[in-house]
Structure formats: structure tokens, C-alpha cells
Amino acid sequence: MTHDIRSDSHTPHFDGSPDWRDTATRYALLPLRLFLAVTFIYAGLDKLTDSAFMADSGSGSIGDMMSAARDSSAIPAMIDMALKNPVGFGYAIAIGELAVGIGTLLGLFTRLAAFGGALISLSLWLTVSWSASPYYYGNDLPYLMAWIPLILAGAPALSVDAAIRSRRRGGASRHRAGAYH
């Protein structure tokens, strides 16, 4: 005998107020979004304010870091391209991280920002952390995977995107309501 009762369902409140699970679902991506945003903003600012990092060569420089990672990377040609102008590449990565972090924090063009974060994480995984063994010791692959939920879902709560969506829906319903009078 089969039953039509689902074990993952729950009874909503009789007064129509949302259940705590509804609230938890609505805000589920917020901790991930805040973590990734703060991390990428910090990483971008750290690169921009570190004069040793923004150098062609020398201890702690982007040039030396890329040269050291070149032979063990999955795509050495990618590093060769960046080594033509390591400081310019360093600024591009730092500004990209800042843009991704700020967009993610504000929830502005969140899917696009998350896609940018995923591309940065993918490029770092295929170059700098590719040689980590076992693979899960490298930190860029988990960041890449962490961006995927935000690419898929965006920022449904506490975001500029959600405010714009809400405003559009409100304006569209006011427009429709006015058309029938």
C-alpha cells in the first residue's frame, strides 16, 4: 500500500505567516554570498595595497608567483600570456575581485558577479593551485563550486537585484490595474 504523504512537507501556519523553514530557505544563500563577497573584496584590496605583490619580480611578487606556478599548471600558456605584463595582470585580477565582491555584497547583477567570481576561481585553479595534491588541498576549486549556487539562484533576498525585481513587479501590477479602470 502506498501513501501520498511526503516526509519533506510541512504544514503552513493557519494565520498565513511564513514558517521558519520558509524564512530559512529565503535567506539560505545569504551566508555564502556574504562570505564570498567579503573574501573577494579583501583579496582585491590586499593585492592593490601590497607593493611587493604588484611587481614584475621579487619576493612575493605576482611575476614570481606566476613563474613558479607555470610548469605545474594545467594551462601553462595562460600563465605565459599573463607573464607578458604581470603587473597589468595583477591589477586586472585585483580589480576583477573587487568588482565581483562589491557586486555580490550589494546583490547587484549577482549572477554576472558570481559568474565573474567563478571565472577567476577557475583560472586560479587551473594555474596556481592545480599542483595541489590531493586536489582538495587547493583552495580555488571549492571557491569555484561555491559560486555555482549564486550563478543559478542570484540573490533572492536583501539585494539590489531583489529590490529592482520587486519594484518592476509593483509597477507592472499598478500599470495593469490602471488599464482596467
Side-chain angles (χ1 to χ4, degrees):
M1 177 190 236
T2 28
H3 298 281
D4 284 340
I5 298 173
R6 290 179 46 184
S7 62
D8 65 339
S9 64
H10 58 276
T11 307
H13 293 276
F14 292 112
D15 63 359
S17 64
D19 183 274
W20 70 268
R21 288 173 274 204
D22 295 330
T23 302
T25 299
R26 179 172 165 76
Y27 296 102
L29 291 178
L30 193 57
L32 179 63
R33 193 176 118 210
L34 292 174
F35 170 76
L36 290 170
V38 169
T39 301
F40 269 58
I41 290 170
Y42 178 81
L45 289 175
D46 189 44
K47 287 174 181 66
L48 289 172
T49 58
D50 185 356
S51 60
F53 180 80
M54 289 297 182
D56 288 334
S57 60
S59 179
S61 70
I62 180 116
D64 279 4
M65 182 184 73
M66 287 190 303
S67 294
R70 187 206 177 277
D71 293 334
S72 61
S73 74
I75 308 174
M78 215 167 127
I79 293 180
D80 289 339
M81 186 174 52
L83 281 171
K84 290 180 182 177
N85 185 356
V87 174
F89 180 75
Y91 277 109
I93 288 290
I95 291 167
E97 287 173 336
L98 272 176
V100 163
I102 292 168
T104 303
L105 182 65
L106 296 176
L108 179 62
F109 303 118
T110 308
R111 286 187 170 101
L112 181 61
F115 185 71
L119 284 178
I120 291 171
S121 297
L122 176 64
S123 66
L124 291 173
W125 176 56
L126 292 173
T127 55
V128 178
S129 63
W130 182 256
S131 63
S133 180
Y135 76 92
Y136 50 83
Y137 281 169
N139 64 342
D140 295 308
L141 183 58
Y143 280 101
L144 172 60
M145 295 297 118
W147 285 112
I148 293 173
L150 293 177
I151 292 171
L152 296 173
L158 300 178
S159 67
V160 174
D161 291 344
I164 291 169
R165 245 185 339 271
S166 175
R167 180 169 248 198
R168 282 185 183 159
R169 273 192 233 126
S173 65
R174 280 192 299 271
H175 180 69
R176 280 192 302 261
Y180 294 109
H181 289 7

